mmCIF file of all heavy atoms in Angstrom:
data_model
loop_
_atom_site.group_PDB
_atom_site.id
_atom_site.type_symbol
_atom_site.label_atom_id
_atom_site.label_comp_id
_atom_site.label_asym_id
_atom_site.label_seq_id
_atom_site.Cartn_x
_atom_site.Cartn_y
_atom_site.Cartn_z
ATOM 1 N N PRO W 24 -13.396 0.228 -6.634
ATOM 2 C CA PRO W 24 -12.248 -0.369 -7.326
ATOM 3 C C PRO W 24 -11.280 0.762 -7.969
ATOM 4 O O PRO W 24 -11.829 1.704 -8.331
ATOM 5 C CB PRO W 24 -12.855 -1.242 -8.312
ATOM 6 C CG PRO W 24 -14.109 -0.735 -8.735
ATOM 7 C CD PRO W 24 -14.668 -0.125 -7.405
ATOM 8 N N TYR W 25 -10.029 0.501 -8.030
ATOM 9 C CA TYR W 25 -9.086 1.375 -8.612
ATOM 10 C C TYR W 25 -9.183 1.335 -10.058
ATOM 11 O O TYR W 25 -8.460 0.572 -10.706
ATOM 12 C CB TYR W 25 -7.698 1.126 -8.132
ATOM 13 C CG TYR W 25 -7.528 0.967 -6.600
ATOM 14 C CD1 TYR W 25 -6.834 -0.026 -6.095
ATOM 15 C CD2 TYR W 25 -8.012 1.966 -5.730
ATOM 16 C CE1 TYR W 25 -6.755 -0.118 -4.493
ATOM 17 C CE2 TYR W 25 -7.996 1.996 -4.302
ATOM 18 C CZ TYR W 25 -7.411 0.958 -3.824
ATOM 19 O OH TYR W 25 -7.190 0.827 -2.478
ATOM 20 N N VAL W 26 -10.030 2.206 -10.648
ATOM 21 C CA VAL W 26 -10.256 2.369 -12.098
ATOM 22 C C VAL W 26 -9.702 3.484 -12.599
ATOM 23 O O VAL W 26 -9.938 4.738 -12.066
ATOM 24 C CB VAL W 26 -11.732 2.163 -12.447
ATOM 25 C CG1 VAL W 26 -12.034 2.294 -13.925
ATOM 26 C CG2 VAL W 26 -12.260 0.893 -11.955
ATOM 27 N N ALA W 27 -8.716 3.413 -13.575
ATOM 28 C CA ALA W 27 -8.211 4.690 -14.293
ATOM 29 C C ALA W 27 -7.559 4.190 -15.544
ATOM 30 O O ALA W 27 -7.302 3.004 -15.800
ATOM 31 C CB ALA W 27 -7.141 5.268 -13.445
ATOM 32 N N PRO W 28 -7.430 4.969 -16.522
ATOM 33 C CA PRO W 28 -6.723 4.731 -17.817
ATOM 34 C C PRO W 28 -5.451 4.183 -17.448
ATOM 35 O O PRO W 28 -4.650 4.498 -16.472
ATOM 36 C CB PRO W 28 -6.658 6.086 -18.463
ATOM 37 C CG PRO W 28 -7.817 6.893 -17.959
ATOM 38 C CD PRO W 28 -7.913 6.532 -16.539
ATOM 39 N N SER W 29 -4.945 3.326 -18.467
ATOM 40 C CA SER W 29 -3.646 2.508 -18.123
ATOM 41 C C SER W 29 -2.487 3.373 -18.061
ATOM 42 O O SER W 29 -1.505 3.129 -17.338
ATOM 43 C CB SER W 29 -3.491 1.463 -19.208
ATOM 44 O OG SER W 29 -3.436 2.157 -20.489
ATOM 45 N N ARG W 30 -2.453 4.590 -18.744
ATOM 46 C CA ARG W 30 -1.296 5.485 -18.686
ATOM 47 C C ARG W 30 -1.070 5.895 -17.247
ATOM 48 O O ARG W 30 0.109 6.171 -16.874
ATOM 49 C CB ARG W 30 -1.625 6.668 -19.581
ATOM 50 C CG ARG W 30 -2.752 7.585 -19.274
ATOM 51 C CD ARG W 30 -3.065 8.539 -20.319
ATOM 52 N NE ARG W 30 -4.161 9.311 -20.370
ATOM 53 C CZ ARG W 30 -4.187 10.518 -19.631
ATOM 54 N NH1 ARG W 30 -3.127 10.982 -19.095
ATOM 55 N NH2 ARG W 30 -5.423 11.049 -19.583
ATOM 56 N N PHE W 31 -2.040 6.020 -16.357
ATOM 57 C CA PHE W 31 -1.914 6.390 -14.999
ATOM 58 C C PHE W 31 -1.121 5.192 -14.184
ATOM 59 O O PHE W 31 -0.321 5.528 -13.311
ATOM 60 C CB PHE W 31 -3.124 6.823 -14.349
ATOM 61 C CG PHE W 31 -3.587 8.091 -14.974
ATOM 62 C CD1 PHE W 31 -4.662 8.107 -15.861
ATOM 63 C CD2 PHE W 31 -3.127 9.405 -14.671
ATOM 64 C CE1 PHE W 31 -5.188 9.194 -16.361
ATOM 65 C CE2 PHE W 31 -3.562 10.532 -15.180
ATOM 66 C CZ PHE W 31 -4.635 10.527 -16.012
ATOM 67 N N PHE W 32 -1.581 4.089 -14.531
ATOM 68 C CA PHE W 32 -0.904 2.898 -13.905
ATOM 69 C C PHE W 32 0.526 2.714 -14.363
ATOM 70 O O PHE W 32 1.337 2.369 -13.514
ATOM 71 C CB PHE W 32 -1.665 1.596 -14.322
ATOM 72 C CG PHE W 32 -2.958 1.231 -13.548
ATOM 73 C CD1 PHE W 32 -4.121 2.075 -13.917
ATOM 74 C CD2 PHE W 32 -2.907 0.426 -12.384
ATOM 75 C CE1 PHE W 32 -5.309 1.754 -13.160
ATOM 76 C CE2 PHE W 32 -4.156 0.170 -11.608
ATOM 77 C CZ PHE W 32 -5.312 0.911 -12.044
ATOM 78 N N ASP W 33 0.783 3.181 -15.530
ATOM 79 C CA ASP W 33 2.222 3.139 -16.083
ATOM 80 C C ASP W 33 3.199 3.975 -15.261
ATOM 81 O O ASP W 33 4.430 3.733 -15.293
ATOM 82 C CB ASP W 33 2.199 3.447 -17.512
ATOM 83 C CG ASP W 33 1.491 2.401 -18.478
ATOM 84 O OD1 ASP W 33 1.266 1.263 -17.960
ATOM 85 O OD2 ASP W 33 1.208 2.720 -19.517
ATOM 86 N N ARG W 34 2.623 4.964 -14.588
ATOM 87 C CA ARG W 34 3.517 5.877 -13.871
ATOM 88 C C ARG W 34 4.046 5.178 -12.646
ATOM 89 O O ARG W 34 5.060 5.759 -12.132
ATOM 90 C CB ARG W 34 2.577 7.229 -13.455
ATOM 91 C CG ARG W 34 2.194 8.004 -14.608
ATOM 92 C CD ARG W 34 1.458 9.178 -14.025
ATOM 93 N NE ARG W 34 0.847 10.150 -14.939
ATOM 94 C CZ ARG W 34 0.244 11.112 -14.759
ATOM 95 N NH1 ARG W 34 0.093 11.575 -13.501
ATOM 96 N NH2 ARG W 34 -0.270 11.868 -15.695
ATOM 97 N N TYR W 35 3.372 4.168 -12.072
ATOM 98 C CA TYR W 35 3.768 3.501 -10.918
ATOM 99 C C TYR W 35 3.941 1.966 -11.108
ATOM 100 O O TYR W 35 3.184 1.233 -10.698
ATOM 101 C CB TYR W 35 2.648 3.781 -9.876
ATOM 102 C CG TYR W 35 2.304 5.326 -9.753
ATOM 103 C CD1 TYR W 35 1.126 5.784 -10.350
ATOM 104 C CD2 TYR W 35 3.148 6.185 -9.086
ATOM 105 C CE1 TYR W 35 0.844 7.124 -10.268
ATOM 106 C CE2 TYR W 35 2.690 7.530 -8.866
ATOM 107 C CZ TYR W 35 1.750 8.029 -9.440
ATOM 108 O OH TYR W 35 1.260 9.337 -9.378
ATOM 109 N N PRO W 36 5.217 1.644 -11.547
ATOM 110 C CA PRO W 36 5.359 0.219 -11.709
ATOM 111 C C PRO W 36 5.444 -0.496 -10.336
ATOM 112 O O PRO W 36 6.083 0.166 -9.376
ATOM 113 C CB PRO W 36 6.834 0.177 -12.389
ATOM 114 C CG PRO W 36 6.958 1.551 -12.918
ATOM 115 C CD PRO W 36 6.211 2.406 -12.092
ATOM 116 N N PRO W 37 4.662 -1.593 -10.173
ATOM 117 C CA PRO W 37 4.568 -2.156 -8.859
ATOM 118 C C PRO W 37 6.041 -2.530 -8.132
ATOM 119 O O PRO W 37 6.067 -2.237 -6.929
ATOM 120 C CB PRO W 37 3.921 -3.565 -9.212
ATOM 121 C CG PRO W 37 3.179 -3.219 -10.452
ATOM 122 C CD PRO W 37 4.043 -2.370 -11.189
ATOM 123 N N THR W 38 7.010 -2.803 -9.032
ATOM 124 C CA THR W 38 8.293 -3.166 -8.391
ATOM 125 C C THR W 38 9.001 -1.873 -7.774
ATOM 126 O O THR W 38 9.770 -2.011 -6.898
ATOM 127 C CB THR W 38 9.203 -3.569 -9.442
ATOM 128 O OG1 THR W 38 9.309 -2.805 -10.621
ATOM 129 C CG2 THR W 38 8.716 -5.114 -9.954
ATOM 130 N N GLY W 39 8.492 -0.719 -8.077
ATOM 131 C CA GLY W 39 9.018 0.511 -7.579
ATOM 132 C C GLY W 39 8.205 1.100 -6.515
ATOM 133 O O GLY W 39 8.556 2.046 -5.839
ATOM 134 N N VAL W 40 7.146 0.454 -6.113
ATOM 135 C CA VAL W 40 6.307 0.972 -5.093
ATOM 136 C C VAL W 40 6.775 0.621 -3.716
ATOM 137 O O VAL W 40 7.232 -0.529 -3.529
ATOM 138 C CB VAL W 40 4.775 0.393 -5.216
ATOM 139 C CG1 VAL W 40 3.964 0.652 -3.963
ATOM 140 C CG2 VAL W 40 4.113 0.844 -6.502
ATOM 141 N N GLU W 41 6.795 1.601 -2.885
ATOM 142 C CA GLU W 41 7.213 1.376 -1.389
ATOM 143 C C GLU W 41 6.176 0.855 -0.605
ATOM 144 O O GLU W 41 5.160 1.450 -0.528
ATOM 145 C CB GLU W 41 7.918 2.664 -0.965
ATOM 146 C CG GLU W 41 8.506 2.429 0.457
ATOM 147 C CD GLU W 41 9.190 3.756 0.912
ATOM 148 O OE1 GLU W 41 9.382 4.591 0.038
ATOM 149 O OE2 GLU W 41 9.526 3.884 2.164
ATOM 150 N N LEU W 42 6.375 -0.303 0.167
ATOM 151 C CA LEU W 42 5.383 -0.834 1.039
ATOM 152 C C LEU W 42 5.509 -0.251 2.296
ATOM 153 O O LEU W 42 6.567 0.245 2.856
ATOM 154 C CB LEU W 42 5.591 -2.351 1.147
ATOM 155 C CG LEU W 42 5.415 -3.256 -0.098
ATOM 156 C CD1 LEU W 42 5.794 -4.617 0.080
ATOM 157 C CD2 LEU W 42 3.993 -3.027 -0.673
ATOM 158 N N ALA W 43 4.385 -0.226 3.132
ATOM 159 C CA ALA W 43 4.429 0.346 4.481
ATOM 160 C C ALA W 43 5.218 -0.577 5.497
ATOM 161 O O ALA W 43 5.290 -1.764 5.198
ATOM 162 C CB ALA W 43 2.975 0.435 4.951
ATOM 163 N N VAL W 44 5.797 0.033 6.449
ATOM 164 C CA VAL W 44 6.593 -0.746 7.433
ATOM 165 C C VAL W 44 5.725 -1.075 8.591
ATOM 166 O O VAL W 44 5.152 -0.170 9.166
ATOM 167 C CB VAL W 44 7.842 0.138 7.893
ATOM 168 C CG1 VAL W 44 8.641 -0.726 8.905
ATOM 169 C CG2 VAL W 44 8.734 0.333 6.649
ATOM 170 N N VAL W 45 5.611 -2.356 8.921
ATOM 171 C CA VAL W 45 4.873 -2.857 10.146
ATOM 172 C C VAL W 45 5.963 -3.461 10.999
ATOM 173 O O VAL W 45 6.088 -4.728 10.911
ATOM 174 C CB VAL W 45 3.700 -3.693 9.693
ATOM 175 C CG1 VAL W 45 2.916 -4.131 11.102
ATOM 176 C CG2 VAL W 45 2.905 -3.075 8.794
ATOM 177 N N PRO W 46 6.605 -2.897 11.970
ATOM 178 C CA PRO W 46 7.645 -3.416 12.840
ATOM 179 C C PRO W 46 7.004 -4.479 13.742
ATOM 180 O O PRO W 46 5.784 -4.444 14.095
ATOM 181 C CB PRO W 46 8.111 -2.207 13.587
ATOM 182 C CG PRO W 46 7.136 -1.216 13.623
ATOM 183 C CD PRO W 46 6.304 -1.415 12.268
ATOM 184 N N PRO W 47 7.740 -5.456 14.184
ATOM 185 C CA PRO W 47 7.286 -6.357 15.282
ATOM 186 C C PRO W 47 6.644 -5.613 16.398
ATOM 187 O O PRO W 47 7.423 -4.691 17.127
ATOM 188 C CB PRO W 47 8.605 -7.105 15.479
ATOM 189 C CG PRO W 47 9.571 -6.887 14.356
ATOM 190 C CD PRO W 47 9.128 -5.587 13.799
ATOM 191 N N GLY W 48 5.680 -6.059 16.795
ATOM 192 C CA GLY W 48 4.901 -5.600 18.091
ATOM 193 C C GLY W 48 4.138 -4.405 17.862
ATOM 194 O O GLY W 48 3.540 -3.950 18.793
ATOM 195 N N ASP W 49 4.087 -3.983 16.647
ATOM 196 C CA ASP W 49 3.209 -2.807 16.351
ATOM 197 C C ASP W 49 1.686 -2.969 16.763
ATOM 198 O O ASP W 49 1.089 -2.210 17.307
ATOM 199 C CB ASP W 49 3.324 -2.311 14.851
ATOM 200 C CG ASP W 49 2.466 -1.382 14.520
ATOM 201 O OD1 ASP W 49 2.312 -0.230 15.240
ATOM 202 O OD2 ASP W 49 1.725 -1.461 13.365
ATOM 203 N N ARG W 50 1.186 -4.080 16.309
ATOM 204 C CA ARG W 50 -0.272 -4.369 16.435
ATOM 205 C C ARG W 50 -0.468 -5.006 17.873
ATOM 206 O O ARG W 50 -1.583 -4.768 18.449
ATOM 207 C CB ARG W 50 -0.766 -5.421 15.440
ATOM 208 C CG ARG W 50 -0.738 -4.879 14.061
ATOM 209 C CD ARG W 50 -1.041 -5.990 13.105
ATOM 210 N NE ARG W 50 -2.249 -6.772 13.168
ATOM 211 C CZ ARG W 50 -3.371 -6.453 12.739
ATOM 212 N NH1 ARG W 50 -3.380 -5.410 11.769
ATOM 213 N NH2 ARG W 50 -4.579 -7.034 12.805
ATOM 214 N N GLU W 51 0.555 -5.505 18.550
ATOM 215 C CA GLU W 51 0.317 -6.061 19.952
ATOM 216 C C GLU W 51 0.046 -5.085 20.927
ATOM 217 O O GLU W 51 -0.599 -5.455 21.949
ATOM 218 C CB GLU W 51 1.472 -6.998 20.279
ATOM 219 C CG GLU W 51 1.666 -8.371 19.594
ATOM 220 C CD GLU W 51 1.838 -8.280 18.129
ATOM 221 O OE1 GLU W 51 2.438 -7.193 17.604
ATOM 222 O OE2 GLU W 51 1.522 -9.226 17.362
ATOM 223 N N ASN W 52 0.539 -3.820 20.729
ATOM 224 C CA ASN W 52 0.320 -2.834 21.764
ATOM 225 C C ASN W 52 -0.826 -2.042 21.563
ATOM 226 O O ASN W 52 -1.029 -0.937 22.183
ATOM 227 C CB ASN W 52 1.531 -1.971 21.916
ATOM 228 C CG ASN W 52 1.774 -1.087 20.688
ATOM 229 O OD1 ASN W 52 1.005 -0.372 20.285
ATOM 230 N ND2 ASN W 52 3.073 -1.211 20.255
ATOM 231 N N LYS W 53 -1.843 -2.441 20.707
ATOM 232 C CA LYS W 53 -3.014 -1.661 20.309
ATOM 233 C C LYS W 53 -4.315 -2.403 20.744
ATOM 234 O O LYS W 53 -4.286 -3.711 20.473
ATOM 235 C CB LYS W 53 -2.951 -1.315 18.909
ATOM 236 C CG LYS W 53 -1.886 -0.305 18.505
ATOM 237 C CD LYS W 53 -1.591 -0.146 17.033
ATOM 238 C CE LYS W 53 -0.667 0.871 16.834
ATOM 239 N NZ LYS W 53 0.645 0.579 17.308
ATOM 240 N N PRO W 54 -5.344 -1.804 21.139
ATOM 241 C CA PRO W 54 -6.634 -2.580 21.371
ATOM 242 C C PRO W 54 -7.068 -3.293 20.220
ATOM 243 O O PRO W 54 -6.941 -2.890 19.001
ATOM 244 C CB PRO W 54 -7.530 -1.484 21.795
ATOM 245 C CG PRO W 54 -6.747 -0.347 22.170
ATOM 246 C CD PRO W 54 -5.497 -0.456 21.381
ATOM 247 N N VAL W 55 -7.828 -4.424 20.331
ATOM 248 C CA VAL W 55 -8.364 -5.290 19.342
ATOM 249 C C VAL W 55 -9.342 -4.343 18.381
ATOM 250 O O VAL W 55 -9.494 -4.272 17.187
ATOM 251 C CB VAL W 55 -9.078 -6.397 19.652
ATOM 252 C CG1 VAL W 55 -9.914 -7.119 18.725
ATOM 253 C CG2 VAL W 55 -8.109 -7.410 20.398
ATOM 254 N N ALA W 56 -10.134 -3.628 19.229
ATOM 255 C CA ALA W 56 -11.239 -2.675 18.547
ATOM 256 C C ALA W 56 -10.391 -1.668 17.505
ATOM 257 O O ALA W 56 -11.190 -1.064 16.609
ATOM 258 C CB ALA W 56 -11.911 -1.826 19.536
ATOM 259 N N ALA W 57 -9.199 -1.437 17.628
ATOM 260 C CA ALA W 57 -8.628 -0.445 16.902
ATOM 261 C C ALA W 57 -8.141 -0.871 15.466
ATOM 262 O O ALA W 57 -7.843 -0.162 14.635
ATOM 263 C CB ALA W 57 -7.247 0.250 17.572
ATOM 264 N N LEU W 58 -8.100 -2.268 15.461
ATOM 265 C CA LEU W 58 -7.535 -2.843 14.227
ATOM 266 C C LEU W 58 -8.684 -3.314 13.290
ATOM 267 O O LEU W 58 -9.100 -4.442 13.386
ATOM 268 C CB LEU W 58 -6.674 -4.057 14.585
ATOM 269 C CG LEU W 58 -5.421 -3.576 15.552
ATOM 270 C CD1 LEU W 58 -4.724 -4.858 16.072
ATOM 271 C CD2 LEU W 58 -4.409 -2.692 14.801
#
């Protein structure tokens, strides 16, 4: 689990976190075993 003193969490407000981009079709062209 992501355990650390709160001051480290304060550096990265959730609203400012950038989410990964998963474009349409990304998973469809990959083998099931890969996912």
Side-chain angles (χ1 to χ4, degrees):
Y25 304 133
V26 177
S29 60
R30 60 189 174 91
F31 292 100
F32 281 79
D33 294 340
R34 297 183 184 182
Y35 308 101
T38 54
V40 169
E41 184 176 346
L42 297 178
V44 176
V45 184
D49 173 46
R50 291 169 61 95
E51 282 69 21
N52 64 54
K53 295 169 175 58
V55 171
L58 301 171

